[in-house]
RNA sequence: GCGUCCUUAGCUCAGUGGUAGAGCGUCACAUUGACAUUGUGAAGGCCGGAGGUCCGAUCCCUCCAGGACGCACCA
């Protein structure tokens, strides 16, 4: 709009002595305020008790920050998560609860290592093997440290009221001790075992990963229906099978059919020697319930070494497994395919079978390909000797009745001892548990907690090498990063130290607020670990939140380049505004589409609050200004009652974790009731009233303002703290009573 | 295949068993001392479709369509 620009004042009129600045200087105020909070020590509940701000026997409120990965910088999703938690924490603290929120970071083994490896390849054209384990780890640790510092700065910038004196790191000495203790305890219970099983091998990352780190991507593929070849008597192999992975068929040791399938019944139990593209196969026909007679030909070529399900079929029928693909995704079959990549080998086999007239059908299908979430490598199922957590194995421990880890995880939620909200996530949780298999915890990477097991020939020592003994070698592998994260709710509180006061006071945690994408990876495993190690749930309530997406609804990611720096936004609009922009409209568990306009709107709200305060403060009767009437009692006034009603609603919303509703109501009240109605109504009295009327009017406005600030504080801590301090010098809103 | 969620104003989204709300956007008007980072007001929605329960449904149930996601032994 080319509207006539009104001449703006060149510079705002400077504030009169004792008056508020005409403009709210977000950046400098927010910086000062955080320092003021930190200096007060009140982020630490011990200080609150010592200073008499919190009663010693007050009900505790505890939470641990889901530790951000030290893989670089925080994104807008972290800002959202921090805001949610800080609201809960500040509310609890103002309610007088003994409130602890523990900060920390996660070493994020694979994520961090692969980030550093990428950087290393780019800048120095070196691999980790060029550097060697020790030197490489020095690089990673340096990177992790730098990330940590950035992350801490970002978290503070958001206003998070964390007790930094208790800061933890999943790879620091205390947490390492926890990991070793947990491993040993579970090993002794028979819940951690070493086994040769089929695992998800990531050829790109050169490591095993767990089922939950595998993602599925839809790809088009060709489904071939074929016969292995001709038997010695010249007849075709009697059963056609279908597959999308022809190259794995070199490893087939059986054909499985459904037990009731009449077509194939006569073959069950028979064994055949048949050449497949020049390689001899020995195939047994077995009957197995897992086969779907309606799919394909109703017969499955069983490749135990390269398929999770086939491995299980093989176990049920005592079939041998033949590995034909190695860790680099290359064929290990003698002959023309040897050394070929799987895709090439597939083409070659297809061509060969065509030549021999063995292909009966080729059809285009869409199938899910398993991909490693961190590296993008296509998963190759391989049999390997790895460490696992047994989830289905019955066990008994002193304080626990006979159970399994799976049952234990289920019970914690089913019994209501852990409440997951919104409720729909409980269903998802149960569904996951029902499909759960043993958790593979060893990784062939260097960054992380080294598997605390030592070997000497056939001997194994868990926890530590036998004292004074020579020649013991520690397992070269490291543990899944989620193993240490799973201990987080109590490893941050002193466990496994005996008689830790923090553990006694603050465990189980009151609340945990993770995103739904780590419900299984993390939340479930915390429940598992707390259950088996402490016979307790790790937390009472899990508040699941969604993902912050960009304007198009896409996830923020480095590859899309759509990242938004929360620090930049906080500097432009204020952390207060950013928090509100993320919270309002974000129903629990739902994704949030990020909209900078909204943040801008809440920046305006900060200014509005500043101006309401400024107006009220300008009308403060001068001390000794002639009005000697007592402070009027306006507790019966409609305005006061209205505010009390609002307070009730806001409290209820906060208690129900409906932060979005509470925030919206406060916004509405302050702007459209307090400013637009009440302040306007009082203007006449303030201008033309008697000194007593002026004074009464002022007192009413001040009281309404301060109460509003109090309620808004958990949401917009900076501006509320600053303004409150102007009216109540020396007081700190953060620890005022709700 | 199993499961979860979403579909409400132009856009982004809240919400409730009793004929709908916010922010942004749009339009009109106002405004020279708290605030243009403003105020007042307006336009704008058969609350995805079809059934059902109910005195009454956007809200509960069933089915359908479209979309997102999770899980799975889709060979």
């Amino acid at each position: 709009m080319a509207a006539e620009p009104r001449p703006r004042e060149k510079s705002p009129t400077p504030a009169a002595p004792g008056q508020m600045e005409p403009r709210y200087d977000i950046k400098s105020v927010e910086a000062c305020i955080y320092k003021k909070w930190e200096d007060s020590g009140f982020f630490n509940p011990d200080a609150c008790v010592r200073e008499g701000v919190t009663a010693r026997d007050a009900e505790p409120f505890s939470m641990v920050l889901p530790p951000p990965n030290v893989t670089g910088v925080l994104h807008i999703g972290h800002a959202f998560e921090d805001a949610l938690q800080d609201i809960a924490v500040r509310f609890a603290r103002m309610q007088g609860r003994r409130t602890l929120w523990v900060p920390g970071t996660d070493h994020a083994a694979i994520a961090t290592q692969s980030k550093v490896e990428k950087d290393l390849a780019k800048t120095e054209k070196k691999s980790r093997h060029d550097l060697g384990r020790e030197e490489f780890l020095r690089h990673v640790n340096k990177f992790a440290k730098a990330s940590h510092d950035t992350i801490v700065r970002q978290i503070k910038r958001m206003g998070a009221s964390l007790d930094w004196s208790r800061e933890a790191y999943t790879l620091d000495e205390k947490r390492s001790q926890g990991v070793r203790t947990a491993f040993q305890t579970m090993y002794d219970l028979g819940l951690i075992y070493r086994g040769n099983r089929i695992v998800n091998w990531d050829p790109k990352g050169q490591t095993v990963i767990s089922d939950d780190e595998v993602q599925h991507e839809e790809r088009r593929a060709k489904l071939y229906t074929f016969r292995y070849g001709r038997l010695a008597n010249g007849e075709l192999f009697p059963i056609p099978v279908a597959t999308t992975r022809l190259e794995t068929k070199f490893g087939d040791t059986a054909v499985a059919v459904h037990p009731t399938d009449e077509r194939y019944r006569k073959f069950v139990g028979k064994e055949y020697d048949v050449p497949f593209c020049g390689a001899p196969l020995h195939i047994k026909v077995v009957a197995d319930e897992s086969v779907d007679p309606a799919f394909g030909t109703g017969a499955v070529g069983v490749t135990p070494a390269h398929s999770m399900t086939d491995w299980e079929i093989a176990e049920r029928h005592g079939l041998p497994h033949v590995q034909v693909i190695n860790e680099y995704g290359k064929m290990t079959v003698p002959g023309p395919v040897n050394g070929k990549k799987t895709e090439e080998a597939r083409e070659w086999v297809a061509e060969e079978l065509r030549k021999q007239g063995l292909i009966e059908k080729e059809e285009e299908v869409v199938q899910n390909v398993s991909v490693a979430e961190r590296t993008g490598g296509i998963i190759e199922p391989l049999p390997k000797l790895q460490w696992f957590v047994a989830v289905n194995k019955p066990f008994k421990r002193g304080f626990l009745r006979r159970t399994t880890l799976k049952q234990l995880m289920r019970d914690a939620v089913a019994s209501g001892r852990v409440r997951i909200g919104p409720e729909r996530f409980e269903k998802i949780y149960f569904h996951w548990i029902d499909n759960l298999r043993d958790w593979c915890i060893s990784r062939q990477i260097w960054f992380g907690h080294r598997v605390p097991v030592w070997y000497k020939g056939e001997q194994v020592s868990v926890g530590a090498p036998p004292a004074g003994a020579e020649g013991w070698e520690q397992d070269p592998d490291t543990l899944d990063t989620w193993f240490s994260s799973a201990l987080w709710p109590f490893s941050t509180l002193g466990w496994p130290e005996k008689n830790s006061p923090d553990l006694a006071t603050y465990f189980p945690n009151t609340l945990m607020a993770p995103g739904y994408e780590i419900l299984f990876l993390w939340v479930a495993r915390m429940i598992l670990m707390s259950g088996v190690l402490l016979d307790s749930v790790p937390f009472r309530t899990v508040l699941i939140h969604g993902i912050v997406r960009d304007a198009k609804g896409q996830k923020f990611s480095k590859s899309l380049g759509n990242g938004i720096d929360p620090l930049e936004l906080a500097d432009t609009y204020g952390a207060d505004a950013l928090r509100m922009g993320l919270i309002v409209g974000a129903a629990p568990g739902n994704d949030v589409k990020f909209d900078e306009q909204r943040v801008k709107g809440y920046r305006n709200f900060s200014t509005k609050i500043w101006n309401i305060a400024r107006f009220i403060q300008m009308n403060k009767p001068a001390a000794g200004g002639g009005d000697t009437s007592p402070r009027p009692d306006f507790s019966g006034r409609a305005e006061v009652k209205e505010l009390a009603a609002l307070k009730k609603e806001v409290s209820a919303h906060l208690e129900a974790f409906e932060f979005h509703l509470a925030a919206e109501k406060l916004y509405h009240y302050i702007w459209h009731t307090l400013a637009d109605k009440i302040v306007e109504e009082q203007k006449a009295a303030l201008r033309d009233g008697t000194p007593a009327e002026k004074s009464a009017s002022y007192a009413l406005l001040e009281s309404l303002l301060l109460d509003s600030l109090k309620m808004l504080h958990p949401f917009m801590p900076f501006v509320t703290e600053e303004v409150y301090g102007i009216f109540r010098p020396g007081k700190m809103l953060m620890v005022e009573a709700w």
Side-chain angles (χ1 to χ4, degrees), chain A residues 304-470:
Chain A
H306 297 290
S307 155
M308 208 70 90
T309 46
D310 293 4
W311 178 271
E312 286 171 1
I313 293 176
E315 282 203 325
R316 285 195 284 272
H317 300 278
L319 301 165
H321 51 266
V322 179
Q323 186 171 340
V324 296
I325 299 168
N326 68 13
E327 282 77 2
Y328 301 96
K330 292 187 173 163
M331 304 302 294
T332 58
V333 183
V337 292
N338 193 32
K340 275 195 164 69
K341 286 194 157 182
T342 50
E343 292 84 358
E344 292 169 40
R346 191 176 309 155
E347 290 300 314
W348 185 87
V349 170
E351 193 47 44
E352 188 63 23
L353 292 176
R354 267 184 220 115
K355 268 191 233 161
Q356 297 181 29
L358 294 169
I359 297 221
E360 298 190 346
K361 201 162 37 166
E362 293 185 34
E363 41 195 326
E364 289 285 333
V365 293
V366 175
Q367 65 164 13
N368 278 329
V369 175
S370 299
V371 173
E373 71 165 348
R374 288 297 169 188
T375 65
I378 294 179
I379 295 303
E380 193 61 64
L382 290 180
K384 286 192 113 17
L385 186 60
Q386 298 293 324
W387 287 95
F388 295 89
V389 170
V391 295
N392 286 310
K393 186 177 175 186
F395 71 100
K396 199 175 171 330
R397 195 176 175 193
F399 47 71
L400 282 170
R401 64 189 167 80
R402 192 175 163 83
T403 182
T404 65
L405 291 176
K406 206 182 221 183
Q407 194 56 42
L408 185 151
M409 281 190 277
R410 173 174 266 289
D411 286 348
V413 176
S415 68
R417 281 176 296 142
V418 173
R419 279 182 32 236
I420 302 179
E423 212 173 318
R424 64 175 183 271
F425 290 106
E426 293 196 352
K427 285 186 203 167
I428 296 173
Y429 175 84
F430 290 134
H431 189 246
W432 173 80
I433 287 182
D434 292 341
N435 290 302
L436 188 61
R437 296 158 186 254
D438 284 1
W439 171 20
C440 180
I441 52 171
S442 45
R443 299 288 180 275
Q444 290 66 56
I445 60 169
W446 291 342
F447 185 54
H449 291 279
R450 194 133 167 204
V451 173
V453 178
W454 284 258
Y455 310 99
K456 185 178 176 182
E458 294 296 299
Q459 303 176 74
V460 174
S461 174
V462 173
E470 294 284 313

Side-chain angles (χ1 to χ4, degrees), chain A residues 587-702:
Chain A
N590 285 3
D591 290 351
V592 188
K593 242 179 232 177
F594 181 75
D595 178 6
E596 190 164 334
Q597 279 304 310
R598 270 227 309 277
V599 180
K600 194 173 168 184
Y602 290 108
R603 190 271 319 265
N604 298 353
F605 183 46
S606 305
T607 310
K608 188 73 185 180
I609 292 167
W610 185 261
N611 280 302
I612 295 167
R614 188 162 162 251
F615 175 76
I616 293 173
Q617 198 240 16
M618 281 169 65
N619 286 288
K620 185 172 187 169
D627 172 34
T628 53
S629 56
R631 195 183 163 82
D633 172 28
F634 42 68
S635 58
R637 291 191 59 133
E639 292 91 336
V640 175
K641 283 183 178 156
E642 189 180 9
L643 188 79
L646 176 69
K647 186 162 213 162
K648 220 170 166 182
E649 284 178 53
V650 168
S651 300
H653 285 315
L654 280 167
E655 260 146 36
F657 307 115
E658 295 162 341
F659 302 155
H660 62 305
L661 298 180
E664 197 175 345
K665 282 186 179 166
L666 284 166
Y667 171 86
H668 228 253
Y669 173 79
I670 292 172
W671 199 315
H672 300 298
T673 300
L674 182 59
D676 291 348
K677 297 209 175 78
I678 302 174
V679 167
E680 290 302 323
E681 284 161 9
Q682 295 303 318
K683 275 184 174 172
L686 289 170
R687 194 173 44 230
D688 310 321
T690 63
E693 282 165 347
K694 283 185 182 177
S695 176
S697 199
Y698 171 82
L700 174 70
L701 290 179
E702 190 203 73

Side-chain angles (χ1 to χ4, degrees), chain A residues 696-711:
Chain A
S697 199
Y698 171 82
L700 174 70
L701 290 179
E702 190 203 73
S703 157
L704 294 175
L705 173 68
L706 296 188
D707 272 348
S708 302
L709 292 175
K710 206 175 262 187
M711 283 191 273

Side-chain angles (χ1 to χ4, degrees), chain A residues 73-80 154 517 548 556 558 563-566:
Chain A
V73 296
L74 298 191
H75 52 74
I76 197 88
H78 290 102
F80 176 47
Q154 287 179 306
E517 73 277 15
V548 182
F556 286 109
K558 271 157 238 153
I564 298 177
D565 182 3

